Amino acid sequence: MVDLVGQYEGLKSQINSSFSEILDSAAFINGPHVHSFQKELEAYLDIKHVIPCANGTDALQICMMGLGLQPGDEVITADFTFAATVEVIALLGLTPVLVDVEPDTFNIDVAAIKRAITPKTKAIVPVHLFGQCAEMDAIMELAEAYDLYVIEDNAQAIGANYTSKTGKKQKSGTIGHVASTSFFPSKNLGCYGDGGAIFTNDDELAHIIRGIVNHGMYKRYHHDVVGVNSRLDTLQAAVLSAKLKKLDVYNSKRREAARKYSKAFMGHEHIIVPKASKGCEGICDSCDCHVFHQYTLQITNGKRDALVAHLNTKNIPCGVYYPIPLHRQKAYVDERYNEDDFKVTNKLVDEVISLPMHTELDDEQINFIKTTVLSFINA
Ligand SMILES: *Cc1c(COP(=O)(O)O)cnc(C)c1O
């Protein structure tokens, strides 16, 4: 699905020399690379505060702790996402409220958010799934009207742009009150282990969060709040610094691969290509709204599982993200949920398939994948 070895080839001398410098200095925790990466990412995103941490799941949890959410508070998020999003809500004793997604972009359905709001609702967590922003204009309007926090789960969309209806272009993860991201190796900006970060423009929240990631300390050995230990280590920061410089190039390579896939599959009676929210059908010729963390097709003739099996026999990696809706996962079932409220997610879990998507795909690979998929579906 990804080719991190191929990508490393292009970064080898830079990363190896940073690593040997770090090994020589033994500054493994809080070394200078951590601070410089933080500053570089703040500049790239055009945001006031980036707070690095240990992984994307911690980042989400720390956002919720920083906002002071309390047990019993309801947090609305998407039914169709990676479990980390709902896991941290439950872990903090908050009440997860799952809602359905849009059939074309796979992102949280704003009308469904609105229906789920109660007097206990405190926050919305839109997940920018597969690489493009949820409908942030509408989500921010709802949040304003109902006095809710918006925590963007930006683990899959770093580098994507969101153009609001006023025409203002902003990076994903800089629109809500706070955002989390993950630097897991296969993410669009990935390190060589675990890593994550929190973004915010709110000075006070940033201060609170900087203490939370460091055992609730604002002054050495004074623990004012219950915190966690969540750090990005120096070696990972050095990798991220090197890769951040290439993030836009990497994301345009992904878009280019997506464009080639979509041109082959578009209009097929049994295949739906990913649609970008701005209506460019995933072709993204001139826009940068989608960074294709995943390239995800819908197979509508009931042959999705057979296609997965077929691609496996041809040694073509593929993935089903996600095969089970969160509302049906044992850990998150809740008698308040009604199957009729999850029509889209219930259908997507049976139809989606993600094809190989990374920065090193060449035409030969893409052509082989395209022809293999099409000849199977047409057979
Ligand atoms: C990867 C991911 C996370 C979690 O990130 P980790 O760094 O693996 O903890 C959270 N949310 C979404 C949507 C993700 O894709």
Side-chain angles (χ1 to χ4, degrees), residues 54-58 60 81-82 84-85 127-129 153-156 180-184 187 194-196 293 322:
N55 58 67
T57 309
D58 274 9
L60 265 171
T81 176
F82 182 55
T85 322
V127 181
H128 302 320
L129 204 73
D153 182 343
N154 196 38
Q156 301 191 2
S180 61
T181 203
S182 163
F183 303 126
F184 185 79
K187 303 282 158 124
D194 275 308
H293 174 60
Y322 297 91

Side-chain angles (χ1 to χ4, degrees), residues 67-375:
L67 291 170
L69 301 185
Q70 294 299 318
D73 288 350
E74 293 180 2
V75 179
I76 300 174
T77 193
D79 190 33
F80 190 60
T81 176
F82 182 55
T85 322
V86 68
E87 177 177 68
V88 297
I89 300 172
L91 201 59
L92 291 174
L94 314 172
T95 305
V97 177
L98 297 168
V99 301
D100 212 358
V101 296
E102 297 280 0
D104 48 3
T105 62
F106 315 119
N107 274 326
I108 196 163
D109 178 340
V110 180
I113 298 178
K114 191 165 181 194
R115 285 194 296 274
I117 293 173
T118 75
K120 288 185 174 171
T121 308
K122 288 286 153 42
I124 306 169
V125 184
V127 181
H128 302 320
L129 204 73
F130 300 157
Q132 70 176 322
C133 279
E135 281 305 325
M136 290 306 290
D137 278 342
I139 291 169
M140 295 311 290
E141 273 168 28
L142 259 189
E144 174 95 12
Y146 291 88
D147 198 19
L148 308 174
Y149 293 120
V150 174
I151 304 163
E152 293 174 75
D153 182 343
N154 196 38
Q156 301 191 2
I158 196 156
N161 283 301
Y162 180 77
T163 308
S164 73
K165 57 189 179 199
T166 61
K168 187 176 173 199
K169 229 183 203 193
Q170 283 167 287
K171 289 278 180 227
S172 67
T174 67
I175 305 159
H177 300 95
V178 62
S180 61
T181 203
S182 163
F183 303 126
F184 185 79
S186 64
K187 303 282 158 124
N188 290 39
L189 178 61
C191 56
Y192 293 167
D194 275 308
I198 298 144
F199 319 147
T200 186
N201 275 313
D202 182 329
D203 297 338
E204 197 185 323
L205 181 60
H207 171 74
I208 294 170
I209 286 175
R210 286 205 176 90
I212 291 175
V213 298
N214 189 24
H215 303 289
M217 275 196 291
Y218 296 90
K219 203 172 134 193
R220 202 161 171 76
Y221 298 120
H222 293 251
H223 303 275
D224 295 357
V225 295
V226 177
V228 294
N229 167 23
S230 192
R231 296 184 278 240
L232 180 72
D233 70 66
T234 315
L235 291 166
Q236 303 310 334
V239 174
L240 292 166
S241 266
K243 288 176 84 170
L244 178 60
K245 294 183 185 70
K246 299 197 163 187
L247 181 61
D248 286 344
V249 174
Y250 287 158
N251 282 340
S252 41
K253 285 188 179 174
R254 288 172 176 270
R255 267 196 295 275
E256 201 179 311
R259 199 145 57 220
K260 288 173 182 164
Y261 280 142
S262 282
K263 283 187 172 150
F265 301 129
M266 223 163 132
H268 193 287
E269 62 172 325
H270 302 309
I271 304 177
I272 303 175
V273 301
K275 184 168 176 267
S277 41
K278 298 295 163 192
C280 59
E281 302 272 354
I283 293 294
C284 289
D285 265 325
S286 56
C287 71
D288 41 17
C289 59
H290 206 318
V291 294
F292 291 98
H293 174 60
Q294 297 295 347
Y295 181 85
T296 303
L297 296 173
Q298 286 164 260
I299 305 297
T300 57
N301 61 353
K303 285 194 177 176
R304 193 273 315 270
D305 290 339
L307 176 61
V308 170
H310 181 71
L311 295 181
N312 285 338
T313 67
K314 299 281 174 190
N315 286 322
I316 297 176
C318 63
V320 172
Y321 310 114
Y322 297 91
I324 305 169
L326 290 174
H327 80 273
R328 281 199 249 133
Q329 297 282 1
K330 264 191 209 160
Y332 306 112
V333 288
D334 186 319
E335 59 195 15
R336 290 179 308 173
Y337 295 141
N338 178 347
E339 283 302 320
D340 277 352
D341 292 331
F342 299 102
K343 285 203 182 81
V344 177
T345 303
N346 283 341
K347 188 160 174 285
L348 289 176
V349 293
D350 291 333
E351 293 187 348
V352 290
I353 179 169
S354 301
L355 299 181
M357 173 49 76
H358 54 82
T359 58
E360 314 301 310
L361 278 170
D362 61 31
D363 280 349
E364 197 184 328
Q365 291 168 319
I366 292 175
N367 287 335
F368 179 61
I369 296 164
K370 284 187 328 199
T371 1
T372 311
V373 169
L374 283 173
S375 59

